[in-house]
């Protein structure tokens, strides 16, 4: 085999591995972004642990066929300039980064994505962007546990103070 074919097979294997291991994969159209803007986007992805890379669509289609489960990565839906943001931990992280970045840079457009093996169109991806991060949800949960406990402590303290006052008045 030629060296070019070997390199393409390696890239297909890399993409297939990412698609299998990733909890989410978001496809974006980056056409119209400057080099500086793309670099800024890559840095934002890196900060949240998201792998972002531009691959040839034909290689992604081959990898998707190998993996299965990625029916929309086909000749009809996967066309044009595409970047692929794959997250291995937080399924919503790439969507959130893209959504925030697109507010300042409207040339960046979400096309589609897969989250935990399920296809999401652009509208559903935008809904995902509004879900709070894991840390925010944990903080809210801890806060909801803390409020009743704090109220209970204040109640016990008030009862103890009232008993002290009653004891002092009797003495």
């Amino acid at each position: 085999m030629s060296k070019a074919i070997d390199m393409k097979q390696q890239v297909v294997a890399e993409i297939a591995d990412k698609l299998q291991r990733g909890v989410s994969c978001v496809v974006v159209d980056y056409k119209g972004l400057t080099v500086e803007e793309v670099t800024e986007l890559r840095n934002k992805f890196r900060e949240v642990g998201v792998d972002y890379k531009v691959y040839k669509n034909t290689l992604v289609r081959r990898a998707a066929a190998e993996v299965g489960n990625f029916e929309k990565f086909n000749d009809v839906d996967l066309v044009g300039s595409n970047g692929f943001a794959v997250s291995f931990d937080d399924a919503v992280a790439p969507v959130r980064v893209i959504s925030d970045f697109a507010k300042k840079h409207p040339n960046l457009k979400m096309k589609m994505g897969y989250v935990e093996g399920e296809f999401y169109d652009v509208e559903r991806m935008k809904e995902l962007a509004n879900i709070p991060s894991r840390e925010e949800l944990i903080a809210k949960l801890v806060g909801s546990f803390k409020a009743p406990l704090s109220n209970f402590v204040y109640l016990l303290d008030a009862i103890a103070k009232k008993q002290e006052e009653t004891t002092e008045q009797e003495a």
Side-chain angles (χ1 to χ4, degrees):
M1 275 193 268
S2 74
K3 190 173 183 179
I5 292 174
D6 285 341
M7 288 177 60
K8 287 180 182 180
Q9 286 176 342
Q10 288 175 353
V11 172
V12 168
E14 173 188 327
I15 298 168
D17 178 56
K18 287 181 182 181
L19 292 177
Q20 285 175 332
R21 289 186 309 120
V23 291
S24 66
C25 177
V26 181
V27 181
V28 295
D29 182 356
Y30 63 89
K31 191 172 23 175
L33 293 178
T34 64
V35 172
E36 292 82 20
E37 291 169 340
V38 171
T39 302
E40 181 184 347
L41 178 63
R42 287 179 191 275
N43 289 336
K44 289 188 183 292
F45 279 133
R46 206 171 293 120
E47 287 172 9
V48 295
V50 173
D51 182 60
Y52 175 77
K53 201 160 183 183
V54 175
Y55 294 107
K56 289 185 171 241
N57 291 332
T58 53
L59 300 180
V60 174
R61 286 186 208 117
R62 285 183 188 159
E66 280 183 21
V67 173
N69 216 20
F70 289 86
E71 304 82 29
K72 291 290 184 175
F73 285 3
N74 57 37
D75 294 345
V76 176
D77 297 309
L78 197 61
V79 293
S81 305
N82 295 312
F84 300 87
V86 180
S87 178
F88 302 102
D89 299 320
D90 184 1
V92 184
V95 179
R96 200 175 303 115
V97 169
I98 293 164
S99 189
D100 289 343
F101 193 82
K103 290 175 186 172
K104 296 177 196 165
H105 308 281
N107 288 335
L108 182 70
K109 293 177 180 57
M110 264 189 281
K111 292 178 109 174
M112 64 178 141
Y114 280 86
V115 178
E116 296 180 351
E118 186 178 337
F119 173 75
Y120 282 64
D121 61 5
V122 176
E123 302 309 317
R124 287 184 68 195
M125 296 301 282
K126 288 179 181 176
E127 290 173 13
L128 274 180
N130 296 326
I131 294 175
S133 70
R134 183 175 189 268
E135 290 77 21
E136 290 175 58
L137 291 173
I138 289 172
K140 287 180 182 180
L141 180 65
V142 168
S144 66
F145 286 148
K146 181 183 171 196
L149 289 174
S150 297
N151 291 339
F152 182 67
V153 168
Y154 291 131
L155 177 67
L156 289 176
D157 187 47
I159 291 171
K161 285 180 182 177
K162 189 169 186 176
Q163 284 181 347
E164 284 177 21
E165 289 174 9
T166 307
T167 308
E168 288 175 6
Q169 288 176 356
E170 290 175 358

